[in-house]
Amino acid sequence: MRKSLSLLLILVTLGTATATAEAQKSAKVPRIGFLSGGARGATHEAFRQGLRELGYVEGKNITIEYRLAQGKLDRLFDLAAELVRLKVDIIVTPSTLDALAAQRATSTIPIVMALSSDPVGTRLVQSLARPGGNITGLTTLSPELNGKRLELLKEAVPGLSRVAVLWNAASPEKALEFEGTQVQAVPLGLQVQSLEVRGPDDFEKAFRAAARERAGALLTLTDALTISQLSRIAELAAKSRLAAIFSEREFVDAGGLISYGPSSADLFRRSATYVDKILKGAKPGDLPVQQPTRFELVINLKTAKKIGLRIPPEMLVRADKVLK
């Protein structure tokens, strides 16, 4: 009797151990697709930091498949389709153009926008409160903030009357943003000159046009194309002695004059919370699109000196960061 009970106990123990091992073996590690028109940078690390804060460690309990176009935006659709074929659980996108490519590739895999300036206007979501479909995430409110950026340019440049606006004419979102910028310039008494680019080869020509029309300052509408050329834009602006303002601090770190906008690192970190909620069963269409909570004004005094511009002291006092 005792032998039978001992044998039964051993069999039960072995069965339980085998079942546990099989369960662990079959436990699925979530696979996240990261689709970007640019290259890997500090904002990507902010996303990974956000995941770590939620208990996800890349290579252990979560996998990230990076698909980066490195500025070759015509590759985005193929890269998005590749992530769909890999059957990733979620696709994370750093910009609206990336999100549009992912949207075209799938209507079922959840998509999290880390940054999108106008997700409603570009029809990525139905509304901020009720996105619907398979897309949600965060918005930068960039169109609304361009008026503030124009105000900052006018404050920084005495007698400013003409502002060149550099934008990607291949992006429907940037076309809407440019139109809004024109409207916002009117009450400020500013004329807007359109500098349209569609690829890396167009930037030199655009800056020559700004010089011919005697633009006094430059506003860049940020997207995957301009981010991929940020160092070049900063260099061309300084060479043209243009006071340039951007939405992303990365441009100022690369030599641009001023940036004003939401903290990209904060938005990327917060996008990880959407990944966590969706992996736990939430539907992206039920998760409201969040707006920025932190804004930064950054000024590069070294660049100001280079282009012969004196930034007003009261503007420097308001800055969150001054690079000297």
Side-chain angles (χ1 to χ4, degrees), residues 88-100:
V88 295
D89 297 286
I90 301 170
I91 298 176
V92 176
T93 61
S95 77
T96 298
L97 198 59
D98 306 323
L100 288 169

Side-chain angles (χ1 to χ4, degrees), residues 71 73-74 76 95 97-98 165-178 194-200 202-203 219-228 233:
L73 303 183
D74 56 336
L76 270 176
S95 77
L97 198 59
D98 306 323
V165 178
L166 183 69
W167 62 288
N168 180 6
S171 168
E173 177 195 35
K174 294 301 134 181
L176 291 172
E177 191 172 340
F178 175 71
S194 176
L195 300 183
E196 301 178 16
V197 291
R198 294 177 180 273
D202 296 337
F203 286 86
L219 167 63
T220 296
L221 306 187
T222 304
D223 75 338
L225 174 60
T226 53
I227 288 177
S228 72
I233 293 171

Side-chain angles (χ1 to χ4, degrees), residues 253-273:
D253 291 334
L257 180 64
I258 304 170
S259 69
Y260 177 74
S263 167
S264 297
D266 181 57
L267 293 174
F268 269 83
R269 183 182 56 79
R270 288 168 59 193
S271 69
T273 63

Side-chain angles (χ1 to χ4, degrees), residues 117-250:
S117 61
D118 188 5
V120 177
T122 51
R123 299 182 180 179
L124 283 168
V125 299
Q126 296 174 14
S127 70
L128 298 184
R130 300 284 296 179
N134 64 320
I135 304 176
T136 188
L138 299 110
T139 176
T140 62
L141 295 177
S142 192
E144 290 85 348
L145 293 176
N146 282 331
K148 177 63 177 179
R149 295 184 185 109
L150 292 174
E151 288 180 11
L152 289 168
L153 282 177
K154 193 168 183 179
E155 182 180 359
V157 183
L160 179 64
S161 61
R162 188 176 185 83
V163 177
V165 178
L166 183 69
W167 62 288
N168 180 6
S171 168
E173 177 195 35
K174 294 301 134 181
L176 291 172
E177 191 172 340
F178 175 71
E179 290 176 5
T181 303
Q182 287 180 302
V183 173
Q184 292 167 322
V186 174
L188 296 173
L190 295 173
Q191 292 182 325
V192 169
Q193 177 188 356
S194 176
L195 300 183
E196 301 178 16
V197 291
R198 294 177 180 273
D201 296 335
D202 296 337
F203 286 86
E204 299 266 359
K205 180 181 177 182
F207 276 89
R208 288 196 298 268
R212 281 197 308 270
E213 298 297 327
R214 298 184 179 181
L218 174 77
L219 167 63
T220 296
L221 306 187
T222 304
D223 75 338
L225 174 60
T226 53
I227 288 177
S228 72
Q229 302 292 315
L230 63 86
S231 296
R232 189 177 177 196
I233 293 171
E235 180 183 352
L236 287 169
K239 184 178 179 181
S240 304
R241 298 178 71 84
L242 284 172
I245 192 167
F246 311 90
S247 61
E248 310 281 340
R249 174 179 173 167
E250 286 77 9

Side-chain angles (χ1 to χ4, degrees), residues 32-51:
I32 308 302
F34 195 102
L35 176 69
S36 173
R40 192 163 175 171
T43 47
H44 297 179
E45 176 56 34
F47 170 65
R48 295 171 66 197
Q49 178 188 342
L51 289 175

